[in-house]
Amino acid sequence: EAAVTQSPRNKVTVTGGNVTLSCRQTNSHNYMYWYRQDTGHGLRLIHYSYGAGNLQIGDVPDGYKATRTTQEDFFLLLELASPSQTSLYFCASRAGGRATEVFFGKGTRLTVV
Amino acid sequence: GDSVTQTEGLVTLTEGLPVMLNCTYQSTYSPFLFWYVQHLNEAPKLLLKSFTDNKRPEHQGFHATLHKSSSSFHLQKSSAQLSDSALYYCALSPTGNYKYVFGAGTRLKVIA
């Protein structure tokens, strides 16, 4: 099964702080995604990428930057964290082809106080 | 744009009764549709996905039928089990880009 590893698993930061969430997949998947999960809103797409150096804007990008440094690594950056960004963040990867499934990491729980 | 609508936030059922979770979608062209299941403290994982032909996907007793005329992909099971209690997401993969869009999710609670 596809392996997607997120770090850290839990993070607490203060309002205005900088946070970087990391994601690595070891399945040679082309596509990687960052989602946030909130009760009542489901999984909302923040950013996604189809290869190293590529970045696509998702549906809720405000306040987030992302960077895909290699095929394996995809980072989510919060440069001025706000309490509204307290959430459970999932990274996912996917092979090429529209009929393919996404494989999720275990998630990072971020709390901004 | 591409979107998925799941109208029920919470569905509570007695064990043994049939399950139906609603999913409708909007997409410019014919997308692929998926159902994911997320158990407590776990990541979502694939339950089943639509086919390009008229086959009906099935897994673990669940099935779903893609109706292009009504833009729907409802999830069904004939008899709910306690272990089916989980959060269920409908998702779509649109034509023309590699976004992967999820609905708001439906929490299924099965009681004895």
Side-chain angles (χ1 to χ4, degrees):
Chain A
E1 180 155 314
V4 180
T5 303
Q6 293 184 236
S7 61
R9 296 291 316 281
N10 290 281
K11 176 74 176 178
V12 180
T13 191
V14 296
T15 299
N18 288 350
V19 178
T20 298
L21 307 185
S22 301
C23 178
R24 166 167 281 202
Q25 56 95 4
T26 56
N27 301 286
S28 302
H29 285 170
N30 293 328
Y31 302 93
M32 296 186 73
Y33 304 82
W34 277 107
Y35 295 91
R36 60 177 291 174
Q37 183 179 43
D38 305 285
T39 303
H41 295 279
L43 287 160
R44 292 183 289 176
L45 181 63
I46 304 170
H47 291 298
Y48 62 110
S49 166
Y50 58 75
N54 176 265
L55 181 65
Q56 303 293 314
I57 306 300
D59 297 321
V60 290
D62 293 346
Y64 301 96
K65 292 184 179 180
T67 180
R68 180 93 177 264
T69 54
T70 65
Q71 186 177 30
E72 294 78 18
D73 298 303
F74 195 29
F75 300 93
L76 186 67
L77 296 81
L78 292 73
E79 292 186 332
L80 287 171
S82 73
S84 65
Q85 294 175 307
T86 293
S87 187
L88 180 59
Y89 291 86
F90 283 104
C91 176
S93 74
R94 179 189 190 196
R98 291 190 305 112
T100 55
E101 67 185 279
V102 291
F103 292 90
F104 286 90
K106 293 185 177 181
T108 295
R109 185 165 296 282
L110 175 67
T111 303
V112 184
V113 298
Chain B
D2 304 296
S3 65
V4 175
T5 300
Q6 295 179 252
T7 54
E8 310 119 331
L10 172 65
V11 172
T12 303
L13 287 173
T14 301
E15 189 178 18
L17 291 182
V19 179
M20 180 162 167
L21 306 184
N22 292 321
C23 172
T24 57
Y25 64 90
Q26 281 190 309
S27 190
T28 304
Y29 302 106
S30 295
F32 278 92
L33 273 295
F34 305 78
W35 277 100
Y36 284 77
V37 59
Q38 184 180 21
H39 292 278
L40 193 63
N41 296 323
E42 294 183 6
K45 58 184 179 182
L46 181 70
L47 181 60
L48 49 80
K49 65 181 179 182
S50 63
F51 289 108
T52 52
D53 54 22
N54 291 324
K55 290 181 184 175
R56 187 180 78 171
E58 296 194 28
H59 186 63
Q60 297 177 347
F62 286 94
H63 62 269
T65 302
L66 181 62
H67 290 287
K68 294 181 181 180
S69 59
S70 58
S71 298
S72 67
F73 190 58
H74 305 320
L75 183 68
Q76 295 178 274
K77 187 177 183 182
S78 59
S79 176
Q81 298 176 284
L82 295 174
S83 58
D84 293 331
S85 294
L87 183 57
Y88 291 82
Y89 284 105
C90 184
L92 74 78
S93 170
T95 303
N97 65 66
Y98 280 90
K99 287 182 74 172
Y100 206 92
V101 180
F102 287 83
T106 297
R107 183 166 298 281
L108 176 65
K109 183 178 178 181
V110 182
I111 58 177

